[in-house]
Amino acid sequence: MSNPDCLFCKIIKKELPAEFVYEDEHIVAFKDINPIAPVHILIVPRKHMKDNNDFMEEDEHLAGRIFTLVRKLAEQEGIAEDGYRIFMNTGKHGKQIVPHMHLHLVGGRQL
Ligand code: AMP
Ligand code: ZN
């Protein structure tokens, strides 16, 4: 479930600090440490999956929860009406830096 060497697993377990904006039993969301826009939130499943290549049928419930959470966080952050971008970097060619699957929610300015 958790990887002791993983940065985001450590954040999820509160062994490292982060500015959390949401938490439940399956998913957490916290502010990106190096934001590219006024709103930049990372939505992260608690379960350690390296990237989307680890996402299996048993994980499908997470996808629905994540997209509902995107809507709620966009409303909470005041970016729902003007719009935003969601994206997930995957693997080497996707320029993924942190190998714990996560979705970026970015908005608050024209991208
Ligand atoms: P990527 O793996 O390409 O999706 O990028 C990882 C993202 O995690 C980058 O946008 C980083 O700024 C962000 N990041 C790295 N370390 C931390 C941290 N300790 N707390 C919050 N965000 C982080
Ligand atoms: Zn992890």
Side-chain angles (χ1 to χ4, degrees):
M1 270 308 259
S2 186
N3 178 337
D5 300 323
C6 170
L7 174 67
F8 284 179
C9 282
K10 287 179 184 166
I11 289 175
I12 289 164
K13 286 195 285 178
K14 306 278 169 75
E15 293 172 3
L16 289 174
E19 204 173 327
F20 281 80
V21 294
Y22 180 82
E23 284 186 75
D24 68 24
E25 60 177 316
H26 297 291
I27 299 164
V28 305
F30 50 86
K31 295 191 178 177
D32 196 294
I33 202 168
N34 189 19
I36 61 168
V39 176
H40 189 168
I41 292 168
L42 302 176
I43 298 173
V44 188
R46 285 187 187 274
K47 179 181 175 182
H48 179 83
M49 293 176 277
K50 167 172 62 54
D51 58 33
N52 203 69
N53 293 334
D54 285 346
F55 195 88
M56 299 299 161
E57 284 74 5
E58 71 208 46
D59 305 311
E60 284 175 355
H61 67 106
L62 292 171
R65 291 171 187 271
I66 286 169
F67 280 101
T68 308
L69 180 58
V70 166
R71 172 179 60 76
K72 290 179 180 168
L73 289 175
E75 288 167 0
Q76 187 177 303
E77 299 292 326
I79 60 171
E81 194 175 331
D82 284 341
Y84 49 85
R85 183 173 293 162
I86 52 176
F87 62 92
M88 182 187 294
N89 298 330
T90 301
K92 186 176 58 160
H93 283 185
K95 290 218 166 167
Q96 185 182 7
I97 297 164
V98 178
H100 180 129
M101 184 178 165
H102 55 279
L103 192 78
H104 295 250
L105 167 61
V106 176
R109 69 166 172 85
Q110 182 68 56
L111 296 166

